Structures are given as C-alpha cells and as structure tokens.
Amino acid sequence: MLTDKGRNKFYLSCGKRMFDLVVAILGLIVVSPIVFIAALLVRIKLGSPVLFRQMRPGLQEKPFAILKFRTMTDALDMNGKPLPDTQRLTRLGAFLRKTSIDELPELLNVLKGDMSLVGPRPLFVEYLPYYTDREKLRHTVRPGITGLSQVNGRNYLPWDERLKMDVQYVEKMSFSLDIKIIFQTIFQVLKAKNVAILPGLIGAPLSEYRQQKK
C-alpha cells in the first residue's frame, strides 16, 4: 500500500502528466462551443491569424510557442512601429481577456506537452537573465495555465512575491495542491477577479524591476 509520500512521488513522476492529458481533453470537449464562437468572432473582427503565438521558456528553459486567441490589431504608427497596447486592444479582445477565454487555446499546449494545467506561468524569454538561482527552479517543471501566484493576486503581486510563490509551488507540488489551485482558478475566472486587461500598465517589466533594485 502506497504511503502519502509514495503517492506524491508517483504523481510527480507520471500521474501529473496523465492528469493533464485527461483534463485537457475533457476540457476541450466541454469548452469547444466557446472556442468555436471565440475563433469565429476573432476571425471576423481581427482577421487572420486567429491565434496569437509567442515564444516563452518552458521546462528547463526550452522555448515553446504559447497559444492564445488574438486580442489586438496590427495597427502601426507613421514609423512602422506597433501602436501602444492601449490603442491596439479591441473591445472583443478586452472581453476575451477579462473572461480568460483568450487563454483556452493553451489547452492545446498542454496536450503537446509544452505546458501543464498547473505550474508557474511562462513569462517572457527576455526575463531569463534576471532570475535568482532559487527563482530558476520555476523552470524545473512544466509551466502552467494557472498557478499558485495566479490564485493569489496574479499581476497585482510584486515581482519578488510572484516568483517566490512559483518556487513554493515547485517545492510543494502535489495532486491535492493542483486540485485546490484549479478550483480556486475556476472561482476567480467566474468572478473575473484580479484580471489585468493590460498587465503592462500595472507595473514595470521584471528586467526594469530588477535593474531598479540594483
């Protein structure tokens, strides 16, 4: 008979991936009508491509293309540079972000093995040089659609606190913790709690934040 420690070891070795696959497949089936309608609206309002792809560091810092629904236009200024996010974000895009519908395509990232349902959120590649040695532990597991810091303030948390929670998750990772975070995430999504429509307006990027602290 497996002890609690043995069960957790099994979960970390292969159970977590199995859980991800089962829930991601069932999740895609359940939300398929929402995904279809969202994709259709994005195609009509914003054109092609429907999906936004951006490289993010994953397990062991290996880069992968995260998938989201497009929420912004490609509008450029007179010099050919993209307009500020505040001017490119559409009403549809704001709605998709507020309801977290824009992140549903990340279930495909879970199926591919790039991401997990629960784990540290994948941040920008350019942030890699600014992590402390301890914070780099966040890349020893697959990044998640949601995580410990996401259910405790998301972008409204100071960087040090967010990254601290990412490491705490890695150190305490278990099936019960994942279930707890998933249910907390569902509750927050339904309440549209702590959703930053334009995260860049809340605080400085990690690179600037760490340079300011030097």
Side-chain angles (χ1 to χ4, degrees):
M1 184 175 181
L2 286 175
T3 62
D4 289 343
K5 186 175 181 180
R7 292 191 193 95
N8 197 50
K9 186 176 181 179
F10 171 79
Y11 180 66
L12 299 183
S13 62
C14 60
K16 183 174 174 65
R17 180 62 185 149
M18 292 167 58
F19 177 71
D20 283 343
L21 288 172
V22 171
V23 176
I25 292 171
L26 293 177
L28 281 170
I29 293 172
V30 171
V31 302
S32 58
I34 298 175
V35 169
F36 175 77
I37 293 172
L40 183 62
L41 289 174
V42 171
R43 181 67 178 84
I44 293 172
K45 297 290 186 179
L46 294 173
S48 183
V50 170
L51 294 180
F52 168 78
R53 292 175 170 82
Q54 187 177 61
M55 299 307 294
R56 302 284 180 93
L59 179 64
Q60 305 302 337
E61 300 184 2
K62 181 181 178 181
F64 72 97
I66 193 171
L67 303 175
K68 296 185 179 185
F69 280 122
R70 269 184 75 198
T71 56
M72 294 184 179
T73 68
D74 294 324
L76 305 175
D77 62 18
M78 295 178 63
N79 297 315
K81 295 182 179 180
L83 291 173
D85 291 353
T86 52
Q87 297 181 41
R88 294 189 298 121
L89 181 67
T90 63
R91 290 179 63 183
L92 172 63
F95 172 77
L96 294 178
R97 290 189 179 193
K98 186 173 183 180
T99 56
S100 296
I101 292 175
D102 67 313
E103 297 191 15
L104 290 179
E106 290 172 34
L107 289 171
L108 296 174
N109 285 123
V110 175
L111 291 181
K112 290 172 61 181
D114 296 327
M115 296 179 67
S116 177
L117 295 171
V118 182
R121 279 294 294 175
L123 301 175
F124 298 121
V125 174
E126 55 263 35
Y127 288 177
L128 288 176
Y130 298 96
Y131 297 123
T132 65
D133 288 341
R134 178 167 170 75
E135 290 167 354
K136 289 179 181 178
L137 289 175
R138 71 191 311 280
H139 292 122
T140 60
V141 299
R142 287 185 177 90
I145 293 178
T146 186
L148 189 60
S149 64
Q150 275 59 53
V151 297
N152 286 283
R154 299 177 76 161
N155 298 93
Y156 293 94
L157 289 173
W159 274 113
D160 290 339
E161 190 65 23
R162 286 172 63 183
L163 297 174
K164 179 181 178 181
M165 286 189 180
D166 288 342
V167 175
Q168 287 176 343
Y169 171 77
V170 173
E171 295 176 335
K172 299 179 180 179
M173 192 165 53
S174 67
F175 176 69
S176 60
L177 180 58
D178 281 359
I179 292 294
K180 179 180 178 181
I181 290 173
I182 288 172
F183 276 102
Q184 287 179 327
T185 300
I186 293 172
F187 177 74
Q188 290 194 0
V189 167
L190 292 176
K191 291 189 65 177
K193 185 178 179 182
N194 294 326
V195 178
I197 304 300
L198 286 168
L201 299 181
I202 296 176
L206 179 62
S207 50
E208 293 182 17
Y209 176 79
R210 285 284 156 86
Q211 288 172 349
Q212 291 170 2
K213 293 188 67 176
K214 287 184 178 179

